[in-house]
Amino acid sequence: MRTDGYKTEALPSPRWLLAEVTYRCPLQCVYCSNPVEMANYRNELDTEDWFRIFREARELGAVQLGFSGGEPLLRKDLEDLVAESSRLGYYTNLITSGVGMSEDRVAALKEAGLDHIQISFQASNEVLNDYLGGNKSFQHKMEMAHAIKRHGYPMVLNVVLHRHNLDQTAEILDMAEALEADYVELANTQYYGWAWLNQKELMPSLQQVRDAEAVANRYKERLKDRMQIYYVIPDYFEKRPKPCMNGWGNVFLGVAPDGAALPCHIARQLPGLEFPNLHDVSVREAWFESEAFNHFRGFDWMKEPCRSCSERFDDFGGCRCQAYMLTGDPANTDPVCEFSPHHDKIVAAGEAAKGSPDATESEAKPMVFRNMKNSKVW
Ligand code: SF4
Ligand code: FES
């Protein structure tokens, strides 16, 4: 903990709490952003621990609570966790693959006060969906998408895009339309965790990204009164970075299954930082006083070119994890930025990406599937 008199009243409070309630998951998505060493963090917080964390974060000002994982439905106490967070006044969101869901569970979650469900698909056809997820799930996802809608939730679909499914953007949006989706997030892969391991196999070509964007724009126009479509361009084809987490220790508080409090969900890969565990310390101590949360908070830690750049107040110098993975120093400018002396690495990764995959590629170049067995290697 810091003892140098950080003025906590001058610091922002957490607004968005992401509860990664488990790393267990029936799927094995090759682009999962969970840490590759997740097998090291298997001792999960119990129900009472989570209740205390929810209460303490709410007292500090958190208003939105996302249940994520792994697959949060694998927690048998999920309905209790939702009920408590709803009682505390959070706006609650379940981020799920739909595996582990049933019509009864949707009803129970509704009864518990859950506000919002986001269900993910890997692709618009069963074969590719089940291949990318490493398990059979497509038909069940379709049934659960209908069940979610039947219980009065807005239909929120999320599909992670990469070179193996970008060319099917029209089919994905046809599926969303048939499911009467209200919102569709077409989120190009962010290269963290397992996606970083599989980057060469997942990275699309610029042509694929632009073609898919044109398709998304056509559907946006045609369906504008019925369906909101969000198409997020991959970082690697941008010249300015995203304001990752809206700034370190600014609004976002992630809690890993074992209780580690994290300024971003994969921050544990960063060297030299020790993250507080909410099993041992309060949310207040972790957020305001820990070295880890204060390390990249604000602007004083920045190096050039960010340090004297007027954009720093909007983008916070980009992503610390991306800076670390690509340059070896998390305090460097995110190399997505065209002003970074390492921007050539981003350009090279994008330029190296091949065009659309051929039918035999996945057999020829197998990807690393996200599971506990593969995780033990790290
Ligand atoms: Fe943002 Fe830093 Fe690039 Fe300026 S130099 S645009 S602050 S990342
Ligand atoms: Fe860790 Fe951006 S993902 S700071």
Side-chain angles (χ1 to χ4, degrees):
M1 297 295 139
R2 288 186 82 116
T3 54
D4 56 356
Y6 237 76
K7 291 195 183 63
T8 56
E9 68 275 15
L11 296 178
S13 293
R15 298 283 175 216
W16 173 24
L17 174 61
L18 185 70
E20 293 188 315
V21 289
T22 182
Y23 282 143
R24 291 174 288 134
C25 187
L27 298 188
Q28 310 177 50
C29 301
V30 290
Y31 51 72
C32 181
S33 63
N34 281 159
V36 291
E37 75 286 5
M38 64 190 181
N40 296 335
Y41 315 123
R42 291 178 88 169
N43 48 331
E44 294 179 5
L45 295 177
D46 65 22
T47 313
E48 292 300 323
D49 284 329
W50 281 113
F51 283 1
R52 177 177 56 80
I53 291 165
F54 295 165
R55 200 171 54 244
E56 290 179 358
R58 184 83 183 102
E59 282 165 9
L60 288 190
V63 289
Q64 185 164 343
L65 203 173
F67 291 94
S68 170
E71 174 49 66
L73 287 162
L74 292 189
R75 287 281 303 219
K76 293 202 167 52
D77 58 356
L78 183 63
E79 288 80 350
D80 297 334
L81 298 178
V82 168
E84 178 63 5
S85 47
S86 180
R87 193 188 67 73
L88 289 166
Y90 281 104
Y91 182 82
T92 51
N93 179 22
L94 173 64
I95 300 156
T96 179
S97 68
V99 182
M101 193 173 263
S102 63
E103 181 111 28
D104 286 350
R105 254 192 126 182
V106 180
L109 288 164
K110 184 92 185 173
E111 175 72 25
L114 182 68
D115 292 304
H116 185 279
I117 301 178
Q118 176 192 298
I119 185 166
S120 62
F121 279 76
Q122 281 69 25
S124 56
N125 73 73
E126 185 165 2
V127 173
L128 187 58
N129 183 90
D130 293 354
Y131 169 69
L132 292 166
N135 222 331
K136 278 189 90 58
S137 64
F138 185 76
Q139 290 303 340
H140 186 70
K141 282 170 183 279
M142 294 295 273
E143 284 162 29
M144 289 304 105
H146 287 297
I148 290 166
K149 189 96 184 170
R150 271 198 298 279
H151 285 266
Y153 283 107
M155 164 62 56
V156 186
L157 289 189
N158 170 278
V159 185
V160 175
L161 299 176
H162 42 76
R163 66 190 299 266
H164 294 274
N165 63 4
L166 262 165
D167 298 342
Q168 296 159 15
T169 300
E171 288 87 340
I172 290 168
L173 289 169
D174 287 341
M175 175 181 79
E177 189 180 2
L179 286 169
E180 298 180 51
D182 300 286
Y183 302 91
V184 186
E185 291 177 9
L186 299 172
N188 273 284
T189 302
Q190 303 272 2
Y191 293 99
Y192 302 111
W194 298 83
W196 175 249
L197 287 185
N198 290 313
Q199 190 193 64
K200 281 202 174 67
E201 286 71 42
L202 292 171
M203 184 69 78
S205 66
L206 181 59
Q207 191 62 46
Q208 281 184 293
V209 172
R210 294 296 175 216
D211 289 350
E213 186 178 22
V215 171
N217 286 341
R218 274 207 314 277
Y219 277 74
K220 263 189 209 173
E221 180 56 28
R222 182 169 71 74
L223 298 171
K224 61 176 181 261
D225 298 328
R226 282 186 281 149
M227 195 162 94
Q228 300 283 321
I229 299 169
Y230 303 95
Y231 179 82
V232 184
I233 302 265
D235 275 14
Y236 278 61
F237 297 99
E238 296 279 23
K239 291 188 172 160
R240 296 295 168 82
K242 59 184 178 292
C244 198
M245 302 293 134
N246 267 314
W248 183 274
N250 198 20
V251 292
F252 177 85
L253 169 63
V255 183
D258 66 338
L262 302 171
C264 88
H265 58 299
I266 51 157
R268 274 203 275 211
Q269 68 178 317
L270 302 180
L273 292 179
E274 196 175 323
F275 293 95
N277 193 298
L278 297 180
H279 202 265
D280 310 318
V281 302
S282 69
V283 173
R284 175 177 288 277
E285 279 175 279
W287 180 265
F288 287 119
E289 295 170 26
S290 68
E291 160 64 16
F293 272 81
N294 283 308
H295 201 85
F296 296 116
R297 195 171 247 153
F299 305 96
D300 292 349
W301 57 271
M302 285 180 171
K303 297 183 182 179
E304 294 294 350
C306 292
R307 197 172 180 80
S308 56
C309 177
S310 60
E311 302 279 328
R312 69 189 184 282
F313 303 110
D314 294 322
D315 67 22
F316 307 97
C319 175
R320 296 311 88 227
C321 297
Q322 201 145 258
Y324 170 63
M325 291 188 297
L326 282 149
T327 76
D329 182 351
N332 278 338
T333 296
D334 183 338
V336 166
C337 179
E338 63 183 325
F339 305 133
S340 159
H342 300 278
H343 185 60
D344 58 321
K345 293 185 175 139
I346 290 279
V347 174
E351 283 176 353
K354 296 164 280 179
S356 310
D358 67 41
T360 58
E361 181 178 296
S362 48
E363 283 130 55
K365 289 195 73 185
M367 289 186 267
V368 184
F369 284 85
R370 172 234 192 261
N371 57 46
M372 290 297 173
K373 189 166 141 269
N374 287 339
S375 172
K376 290 204 179 102
V377 176
W378 305 93

